Amino acid sequence: MEAEKMELKLYNTMTQQKEVLIPINPGKIGLYVCGITAYDFSHIGHARAAVSFDVLYRYLKHLGYEVNFVRNFTDVDDKIIKRANENGENPLELSNRFCEEYLVDMGALQCLLPTHQPRVSDHMDHIIRMIEKIIEKDCGYVVEGDVFFSVDKSPNYGKLSGQMLEHTRAGERVAVDSRKRNPADFALWKAAKPDEPSWESPWGPGRPGWHIECSAMSAHYLSSRFDIHGGGADLKFPHHENEIAQTCAACEDGGVNYWLHNGHVTINNEKMAKSKKNFKTIREITDSYHPLALRHFLMSAQYRSPLSFSESQLDSSSEALYYVYQTLQDLDDALLPYREAMSKDSGKAEQTAEAKDIINKLKSEFEAKMLDDLNTAHILTGAYQDALKFINASLGKLKKMQKKQQMSLLVSLVEIEKAAREVLDVLGLLTTLSYAEILKEMKQKTLTRAGLSEEAISQKIEERIMARKNKEFEKSDQIRAELTVKGIALMDIGKETVWRPCFPSQPNSSD
C-alpha cells in the first residue's frame, strides 16, 4: 500500500471538518496521544481512546507511513498523591504499578506498543526548560514558587474548544487561586507541599502542572510542530487548549496540524468516569468477555461518536467474532488434506471470477470506510460477511468437484482467507494464537458468564440425548432452551451434539 495514492481524511477538531492527511514530512507521521493518569485500574473509556488511536496507528502503517507514535503516562499528579496517601504508599511506586497494569490491559486488547511511552517523572529537565522559555517570552509569571501561564498573552486561546476566554474558569483541577492575574490562568509549576514528591527548579522545589507535561514531551519526541495530536473529547478543554497556548508561547513554529478526539463511552446515558463512580474497568470486563470481543465492541461505532455500553452489545460482539474465527478455522481444517496437492500445483490454477470479485469488494469496501475518518462502524459486515458466506458455501462442494475445478476453488479460498486476515490484522483482531486457540478462549469466557463448567454442559448434553431416545421431546427442548438463555447453543452435527457460544436468548415468560 502506497500512502500517497490513498487519501486518508480525518476530522480535525480545530477546523471542524474532514481534511486530507498531508504529512509535514512525506511518508512520515508524528502522532502524540494523551495517556492515562496512573492511579487506578483503567476503565473502558480509557480503552476506547487506546483502541481508537491504535486503529489509526495500524492503519497509517498499513498505508505505508513510518509512524513515530508517542503516548505518555502521567505519573505525577494530585490524584496519584491523594490515592498514595490513602494507601500509605509512595506516589511514584503507586503510579508505576498502575502504568504496568495498564500495559497488561493494552496487551490483552492487542494495542501495539507506541514508539515511545514517556513518563512525566523522567522528563523534568524538558518541562523546566519549556517553562523557562514561556517566562522569557513574558507568557508566564512566578508567584511564591508557583508558576502560572498568562492566558491573556495567548491571542487564539479557546479556538480549539470554542471556549471564549471571558467564559472560562481556572482551567485547573482545583479551585481558583486569588494570586492569579486572570482566573483562567493555569499552573505550569506547583511549589512543593509537605510530604509530596518534588524536584528542584529555578523557582524552588515543586512539580509540574498537569498540562505542561504533554507540551514538553511532544516537543522532545516529535518537535514543536507535528502532524497529529489525539485524546478523549473531554481533553479539548482545558488540557489541549492549554497545550496549544504553552507550545506556541515557548516555540514560535509550535503547533499541531490535526487534532483528533474520540467520543465518550456512556453508561445509562452518562459519560463513564471515575469521578461519577459509574465505570467498568477493562479488567472487570475481560474477566468474563474475551478481550477481542471488548475491542470489537469499542470499534462498533465510528471513533468520534459516543458509544453506549451494555452487556448485550458485548454479547453481540462476542458472537460476531466467534462466527468469524469459526469460519476461518473450518476453512483451515478443510484445506488440510489438500495442502500437498496445492504446493505441487505451484500456482498453475487460477482463482475463480467470483472469488476475485469477492476479494475486490472486500478490500475496496474496507479501504473506503477507513479512508473516511476511520469509519469502523458495522465492522466485519457487508462484503466481509459475503466472503465468509462464500467460504462456508464452498467447503461442502470441495470433495464433489473434479480436480481442475477443485484446485481453482482451493486457490480462491486461500486468497479470500488472506484478504480476510489482512482486515482483521489492521483492525487489531488477530493475535499470535491460532483460530482454534482463540475459539477455545472464547468458549471458556462463555462458560464463565454462564456460571457452568465443561463437565456440566456435557452432563446436560447427555440428559438431552437420553430425553430424545425416550421420545421426551419437550424435556429435550427445555434443556436446549435453558442453555440458550445462558448463551450456549447446542448443535446436532451428524450423530454428535456439540456446543458453541451464542447470543443469550430471553427466558420464556411462561417459565
Side-chain angles (χ1 to χ4, degrees):
M1 197 66 62
E2 294 181 32
E4 58 271 18
K5 292 181 183 177
M6 308 288 282
E7 285 200 339
L8 171 59
K9 290 184 178 179
L10 298 171
Y11 184 87
N12 189 348
T13 307
M14 182 64 82
T15 60
Q16 296 183 41
Q17 62 184 11
K18 290 180 190 176
E19 299 176 4
V20 174
L21 176 64
I22 302 171
I24 295 167
N25 299 306
K28 296 183 178 181
I29 295 289
L31 168 63
Y32 187 93
V33 175
C34 290
I36 60 157
T37 300
Y39 70 98
D40 202 347
F41 287 101
S42 297
H43 60 64
I44 58 175
H46 300 129
R48 184 166 198 211
V51 168
S52 296
F53 291 104
D54 182 65
V55 170
L56 172 62
Y57 183 34
R58 285 172 175 273
Y59 192 60
L60 289 170
K61 286 158 73 79
H62 167 73
L63 292 178
Y65 287 108
E66 181 186 325
V67 187
N68 187 0
F69 175 21
V70 183
R71 183 183 65 212
N72 75 300
F73 281 113
T74 297
D75 65 343
V76 179
D77 180 84
D78 293 341
K79 292 181 179 181
I80 294 166
I81 293 166
K82 182 174 182 290
R83 179 62 57 86
N85 288 341
E86 289 168 358
N87 291 0
E89 191 174 356
N90 177 286
L92 284 173
E93 286 178 5
L94 178 133
S95 58
N96 180 64
R97 182 157 56 85
F98 284 115
C99 287
E100 295 304 317
E101 294 290 5
Y102 178 78
L103 292 176
V104 170
D105 288 335
M106 292 303 99
L109 289 170
Q110 295 302 303
C111 289
L112 299 174
L113 285 174
T115 318
H116 304 283
Q117 298 191 90
R119 302 187 186 195
V120 176
S121 61
D122 294 329
H123 291 80
M124 289 299 166
D125 288 347
H126 301 114
I127 290 167
I128 289 167
R129 279 202 295 273
M130 182 169 268
I131 295 172
E132 286 177 322
K133 284 183 186 177
I134 292 169
I135 294 171
E136 282 169 20
K137 299 284 182 69
D138 197 30
C139 293
Y141 57 95
V142 184
V143 183
E144 299 168 2
D146 290 324
V147 184
F148 296 104
F149 185 92
S150 180
V151 294
D152 292 325
K153 300 293 177 74
S154 181
N156 293 319
Y157 192 80
K159 189 178 177 184
L160 178 73
S161 60
Q163 296 264 12
M164 300 298 289
L165 187 54
E166 58 267 28
H167 297 156
T168 60
R169 292 294 292 166
E172 273 293 294
R173 295 180 171 189
V174 293
V176 176
D177 189 328
S178 60
R179 300 172 303 158
K180 293 179 181 181
R181 295 173 184 173
N182 183 319
D185 291 351
F186 56 89
L188 298 171
W189 188 261
K190 297 180 177 185
K193 292 178 184 174
D195 302 319
E196 286 189 357
S198 64
W199 288 261
E200 288 301 321
S201 80
W203 320 287
R207 57 189 172 86
W210 176 36
H211 314 293
I212 190 68
E213 61 188 64
C214 288
S215 289
M217 290 190 286
S218 62
H220 174 66
Y221 287 97
L222 298 172
S223 85
S224 59
R225 175 162 287 281
F226 57 94
D227 299 290
I228 304 171
H229 194 313
D234 56 322
L235 297 180
K236 280 188 272 188
F237 185 86
H239 187 52
H240 289 162
E241 203 69 76
N242 292 352
E243 272 192 65
I244 293 168
Q246 294 164 159
T247 303
C248 292
C251 315
E252 286 180 14
D253 62 341
V256 172
N257 285 1
Y258 305 87
W259 284 91
L260 273 58
H261 293 93
N262 65 277
H264 302 308
V265 176
T266 61
I267 187 163
N268 299 324
N269 298 315
E270 270 198 317
K271 178 194 169 226
M272 189 177 288
K274 286 184 177 171
S275 58
K276 295 180 180 178
K277 298 183 178 176
N278 65 346
F279 63 92
K280 297 270 186 184
T281 66
I282 300 169
R283 206 66 61 87
E284 204 177 334
I285 300 299
T286 56
D287 278 346
S288 51
Y289 287 90
H290 198 284
L292 291 179
L294 175 54
R295 185 180 175 101
H296 182 282
F297 160 69
L298 293 168
M299 293 189 288
S300 64
Q302 203 273 349
Y303 76 93
R304 286 188 291 115
S305 304
L307 180 63
S308 180
F309 171 80
S310 69
E311 288 194 355
S312 66
Q313 291 279 68
L314 281 171
D315 288 328
S316 293
S317 285
S318 192
E319 184 181 37
L321 278 186
Y322 194 91
Y323 172 67
V324 171
Y325 301 132
Q326 186 64 65
T327 300
L328 295 176
Q329 178 60 44
D330 291 344
L331 174 59
D332 216 29
D333 292 341
L335 292 179
L336 194 59
Y338 302 101
R339 294 284 185 194
E340 190 177 340
M342 288 165 70
S343 65
K344 286 179 182 175
D345 183 69
S346 303
K348 291 173 193 169
E350 290 190 7
Q351 297 173 56
T352 64
E354 185 184 3
K356 284 180 182 176
D357 188 46
I358 285 169
I359 290 168
N360 286 337
K361 282 181 180 174
L362 188 157
K363 288 185 174 181
S364 62
E365 186 179 289
F366 177 67
E367 297 294 356
K369 281 184 173 185
M370 295 298 283
L371 290 169
D372 183 17
D373 198 26
L374 309 173
N375 187 8
T376 57
H378 312 298
I379 53 172
L380 308 184
T381 59
Y384 200 93
Q385 286 296 307
D386 292 341
L388 297 179
K389 285 173 187 172
F390 179 85
I391 291 170
N392 282 320
S394 300
L395 297 185
K397 299 175 185 175
L398 272 173
K399 291 180 181 176
K400 301 169 188 174
M401 287 181 160
Q402 292 181 347
K403 191 172 180 182
K404 189 175 179 182
Q405 285 180 309
Q406 190 182 65
M407 198 56 65
S408 183
L409 182 57
L410 288 166
V411 169
S412 299
L413 288 168
V414 167
E415 291 305 314
I416 287 174
E417 187 203 13
K418 274 186 195 171
R421 278 184 68 88
E422 184 178 23
V423 169
L424 290 177
D425 190 38
V426 175
L427 293 173
L429 292 171
L430 277 184
T431 75
T432 54
L433 300 178
S434 66
Y435 303 135
E437 288 168 321
I438 295 172
L439 290 166
K440 186 178 179 181
E441 287 183 346
M442 293 187 85
K443 288 183 85 169
Q444 188 54 55
K445 295 293 184 186
T446 303
L447 292 175
T448 300
R449 294 195 298 277
L452 293 170
S453 64
E454 193 79 58
E455 293 75 18
I457 293 181
S458 297
Q459 190 177 335
K460 288 286 182 185
I461 288 172
E462 286 303 317
E463 284 177 28
R464 182 170 168 269
I465 289 169
M466 288 304 297
R468 292 173 79 191
K469 277 184 181 176
N470 297 331
K471 300 192 176 179
E472 297 174 297
F473 299 116
E474 193 175 325
K475 183 180 178 182
S476 165
D477 291 344
Q478 187 182 356
I479 291 168
R480 174 178 251 165
E482 284 172 0
L483 289 173
T484 307
V485 168
K486 291 178 177 285
I488 291 165
L490 297 185
M491 305 174 73
D492 299 315
I493 300 172
K495 294 181 179 180
E496 190 183 4
T497 300
V498 297
W499 75 272
R500 57 152 286 180
C502 68
F503 189 88
S505 67
Q506 290 298 313
N508 193 315
S509 58
S510 63
D511 291 345

